[in-house]
Amino acid sequence: MAYSKTKLIYELLDKLTRLSDVVALGYEETCRRERQSTKLNFIIVESVTHSDTLRVVNEAWGSWDNADLPMTKTFSMDSDHGKRILGSPLGRPVARMILDYDRCFAGKTITKIDSVKVMWEDGEREDARDRMKKEAKQLDGRDLLGEKDHLVFHISDLKDS
């Protein structure tokens, strides 16, 4: 049965309603193109500017000194902070992808999350601030865009965790 281009486009768009769908389908396409399953060990969310996610990450960090940057803090999935980061707006798509796409991620789990804080390069902070529509919010007197935050989600086999 032949489909019209419009119907195919709408069926594809239906599948791409969540970030987890876009990432999983991209990973699946890469595996298909390589004709093998590519081992996925990490998912990196670079330069986090989502204010709700930043709030959760900063609360998990507690206090820190910018003079010590770059710094990394690891949160296990057994910890409350790890669970809160995974449940944040930028963590949920990673979790959904692992759960929803068995054909790609059967037997996989997220074991820990690294939060990495680094200094902004010249001009980057202002660009990020513009992307947040000048909505740099305060948290306990600290500018949410005080440092550049990256999240690294570690993915392992269930039997290894």
Side-chain angles (χ1 to χ4, degrees), residues 14-80:
D14 234 13
K15 294 179 182 178
L16 300 178
T17 57
R18 295 185 176 103
L19 177 60
S20 58
D21 299 329
V22 174
V23 174
L25 291 171
Y27 174 73
E28 188 175 50
E29 178 59 29
T30 300
C31 292
R32 190 174 19 257
R33 192 173 44 249
E34 299 293 325
R35 291 190 172 88
Q36 64 181 350
S37 178
T38 305
K39 187 167 183 177
L40 184 66
N41 297 315
F42 308 100
I43 294 177
I44 300 170
V45 179
E46 183 181 13
S47 300
V48 174
T49 57
H50 191 281
S51 60
D52 290 340
T53 299
L54 283 173
R55 186 171 287 107
V56 169
V57 169
N58 285 337
E59 286 171 359
W61 269 79
S63 62
W64 66 91
D65 185 353
N66 284 355
D68 295 332
L69 295 179
M71 297 185 301
T72 301
K73 200 169 204 178
T74 300
F75 302 98
S76 77
M77 291 297 89
D78 295 330
S79 73
D80 288 341

Side-chain angles (χ1 to χ4, degrees), residues 144-159:
L144 283 176
L145 282 178
E147 307 77 24
K148 187 192 301 187
D149 291 85
H150 308 294
L151 296 173
V152 181
F153 296 84
H154 293 257
I155 299 171
S156 300
D157 291 329
L158 277 170
K159 62 182 181 205

Side-chain angles (χ1 to χ4, degrees), residues 119-136:
M119 293 302 291
W120 290 93
E121 298 291 327
D122 289 339
E124 280 185 322
R125 184 175 181 195
E126 288 71 29
D127 291 344
R129 203 178 286 278
D130 288 343
R131 282 195 306 272
M132 291 177 76
K133 297 182 173 124
K134 309 272 188 222
E135 191 189 318

